[in-house]
Amino acid sequence: MSLSINAEQLCKRYKLGLTHDGSIRELANRFFARFANPRHRKVAQLGEDQRRKCGDHFWALNDVSFQVGEGEVVGIIGKNGAGKSTLLKLLSRITSPTSGRAEIYGRVASLLEVGTGFHPELTGRENIFLNGTILGMTRAEIRHQLTEIVAFAGIEKFIDTPVKRYSSGMKVRLGFAVAAHLNPEILIIDEVLAVGDVEFQKRCLGKMRHVAESGKTVLFVSHNLTSIRNLTTRCIVLSKGRVAFDGNTNEALQVYVQENLQTNDETDSVEHASRSFPGLSRDLEFVRLQLGGLHDRDTLQVGRDFQLNTTIRANELTSHFLLGLTVYAQDNTPIGSTFTEKLTPPKIGSSHEYHFQSKFDLAPGRYHCAISITDANSEGQRIYDSVAGVLPFSVELSASDIRGWNAGWGAIRLPELQRSATANSFQMSPLAGPLPSTRHTPRPQTSVFES
């Protein structure tokens, strides 16, 4: 199979902090300090610490190597800060690698930021020609596809109106419509399918699926695991600037989800775990989360009760609260959700243990949870604390039990949680969870860039 991309030991290092701060004397002192103290010049290798920094430098990518064949559609996933966007910028030649090299065979088009180059004073029609030119299209190509671009964006009525009068959604749709009609041999896409409303996103996915099936080479970065699964058969997982996995998409998604799960210590403490949303007040906060009734610590047999034990601490005076629980499959597909009824918070400065149980008819497989503490009187608008990727567990059949929900039957409605006999009895209200050909083209001249 012919190659479209060949990356060899790509590395990218950035300087931390300001490059020209302080007085001339301070700059001179730092300059001479580099020669007087060799340790001052040390650059951290990836893995020395979690933040990948030492001294004044940071490794965004370190020793990344892979090959992409002609006509392949490859997904790239990883946590924020894993190096995905940096890698795409290197391959798009927006920036140069610190070391290593990449060989690109063919015409490259990059969709790294939708709507780049739009001028607010120009009309939508004029911005199509401007934006298309920036993305590498010729005027003849733009003129030939103008009608299709306008129809795809759904702004025929406003095409001769200045863009400054467009809504933010209209601008994004127009920007993607232009980018979606590029005709390169290699297409590099970075998180552009999360634009517009639901209808437009479906249209975008259909267009990208058509591009993928047309024999073009596609690199696709997204946090939308469903899109990754639908559009790609191979996936590269980046972790802390390195390639953690390169292979089958389903296996890659399992590696990615497993990496994002919160790992608990022996006390199951989540007090210092990362939170799902920024700006949480944590007037009420989780101190400990634990699943009970398990076999071998993390295995729940089909037909057994799902038991949740949690310790919650009150840091401020609050009213009654609810707990919301969502169960996810291993690939991060939501299976179902449920809520408790109103609970009484602990006294300020104290903690209290809460115990719940229910019966979830889950198919055999791997699962994890997200759980939140919500003000009971805010209709879900005020969240005190929330953690995701916690409480990983497996469901398996016992030797004498073949019951269970087959994963192919779709999502389920989870029954309500009930207070354990060891605590005061009360009932909980349920909430249904969300449902959950290659053509040969001439090989253009090879372009090579390296450090």
Side-chain angles (χ1 to χ4, degrees):
M1 180 175 59
S2 302
L3 290 180
S4 288
I5 300 174
N6 181 29
E8 299 178 355
Q9 298 179 319
L10 283 177
C11 298
K12 184 62 179 179
R13 183 185 70 188
Y14 288 106
K15 184 176 179 64
L16 296 175
L18 299 176
T19 57
H20 299 291
D21 60 334
S23 64
I24 294 178
R25 176 179 295 180
E26 291 172 343
L27 291 174
N29 289 340
R30 283 200 294 271
F31 176 78
F32 288 109
R34 293 179 182 274
F35 296 93
N37 186 2
R39 290 197 307 172
H40 186 76
R41 301 196 304 269
K42 179 183 177 184
V43 177
Q45 296 299 316
L46 195 60
E48 287 189 14
D49 64 16
Q50 189 175 3
R51 300 179 64 186
R52 289 176 281 165
K53 73 175 187 178
C54 182
D56 299 327
H57 298 90
F58 171 86
W59 287 103
L61 288 178
N62 197 326
D63 196 24
V64 172
S65 300
F66 61 91
Q67 294 180 335
V68 179
E70 185 177 349
E72 270 196 284
V73 181
V74 179
I76 301 178
I77 58 178
K79 291 182 177 181
N80 290 331
K84 304 184 298 298
S85 296
T86 300
L87 175 60
L88 297 194
K89 289 177 182 178
L90 293 181
L91 298 178
S92 302
R93 288 177 287 184
I94 295 174
T95 185
S96 300
T98 302
S99 63
R101 58 187 275 126
E103 299 175 352
I104 308 295
Y105 303 90
R107 179 184 176 189
V108 179
S110 304
L111 281 69
L112 303 186
E113 186 173 349
V114 174
T116 300
F118 272 9
H119 194 292
E121 298 295 336
L122 300 180
T123 65
R125 186 188 306 273
E126 293 167 335
N127 269 295
I128 289 176
F129 282 91
L130 175 63
N131 194 240
T133 302
I134 291 174
L135 293 175
M137 301 172 69
T138 65
R139 187 174 183 84
E141 289 175 332
I142 300 172
R143 188 183 295 110
H144 178 70
Q145 300 188 87
L146 180 60
T147 302
E148 295 180 18
I149 293 173
V150 175
F152 189 90
I155 59 167
E156 297 93 332
K157 186 177 179 180
F158 309 99
I159 190 61
D160 292 312
T161 302
V163 166
K164 66 181 180 181
R165 295 176 183 155
Y166 284 13
S167 68
S168 58
M170 292 170 64
K171 293 177 185 176
V172 168
R173 285 158 54 189
L174 181 60
F176 184 87
V178 176
H181 287 79
L182 296 171
N183 189 32
E185 285 79 27
I186 302 172
L187 184 59
I188 297 177
I189 309 171
D190 186 9
E191 279 292 4
V192 297
L193 296 186
V195 299
D197 52 27
V198 174
E199 179 184 355
F200 186 74
Q201 287 185 30
K202 290 181 179 179
R203 202 182 311 167
C204 292
L205 283 170
K207 183 66 177 179
M208 289 300 98
R209 188 174 292 108
H210 173 73
V211 171
E213 293 171 352
S214 65
K216 295 180 173 62
T217 301
V218 180
L219 284 185
F220 179 39
V221 169
S222 179
H223 288 288
N224 188 328
L225 301 188
T226 301
S227 298
I228 290 286
R229 186 187 301 106
N230 291 337
L231 293 176
T232 71
T233 56
R234 173 189 167 196
C235 200
I236 297 173
V237 182
L238 291 181
S239 177
K240 301 178 183 178
R242 291 186 183 273
V243 176
F245 181 85
D246 182 358
N248 177 270
T249 294
N250 290 330
E251 296 179 22
L253 294 180
Q254 294 177 11
V255 172
Y256 170 72
V257 172
Q258 191 64 34
E259 182 187 15
N260 281 272
L261 293 181
Q262 302 280 0
T263 56
N264 300 331
D265 56 23
E266 294 182 357
T267 62
D268 300 293
S269 173
V270 293
E271 188 173 4
H272 302 294
S274 59
R275 263 41 191 181
S276 305
F277 309 104
L280 294 171
S281 68
R282 296 176 71 170
D283 293 344
L284 293 174
E285 66 175 349
F286 292 112
V287 176
R288 187 179 66 90
L289 288 170
Q290 185 184 55
L291 294 181
L294 301 179
H295 176 67
D296 291 336
R297 181 169 175 80
D298 68 345
T299 302
L300 178 68
Q301 291 187 341
V302 169
R304 298 290 297 274
D305 286 347
F306 179 93
Q307 300 178 19
L308 171 66
N309 306 317
T310 179
T311 301
I312 296 176
R313 180 171 58 220
N315 298 317
E316 298 291 341
L317 180 63
T318 62
S319 58
H320 291 83
F321 69 94
L322 309 175
L323 289 185
L325 176 76
T326 300
V327 177
Y328 291 84
Q330 187 173 18
D331 62 358
N332 230 31
T333 300
I335 299 300
S337 301
T338 185
F339 280 87
T340 68
E341 282 192 346
K342 293 183 180 181
L343 302 173
T344 301
K347 296 180 180 179
I348 297 179
S350 63
S351 301
H352 185 73
E353 293 186 6
Y354 299 85
H355 305 274
F356 311 96
Q357 65 183 28
S358 188
K359 192 179 294 294
F360 297 160
D361 291 326
L362 298 171
R366 292 285 300 172
Y367 300 90
H368 58 274
C369 304
I371 186 168
S372 300
I373 306 175
T374 305
D375 185 347
N377 300 318
S378 67
E379 297 182 350
Q381 298 301 310
R382 185 179 183 186
I383 301 176
Y384 294 122
D385 198 6
S386 180
V387 288
V390 295
L391 302 172
F393 66 98
S394 298
V395 174
E396 65 178 24
L397 293 172
S398 63
S400 59
D401 193 349
I402 59 172
R403 294 175 299 164
W405 187 273
N406 188 294
W409 298 347
I412 64 171
R413 179 185 177 96
L414 299 182
E416 63 186 29
L417 290 167
Q418 296 180 351
R419 197 69 176 269
S420 300
T422 55
N424 295 330
S425 61
F426 68 98
Q427 295 181 342
M428 303 182 173
S429 58
L431 179 67
L435 298 177
S437 83
T438 305
R439 60 183 177 90
H440 179 74
T441 55
R443 294 171 61 79
Q445 183 178 359
T446 302
S447 61
V448 180
F449 61 93
E450 55 186 311
S451 60

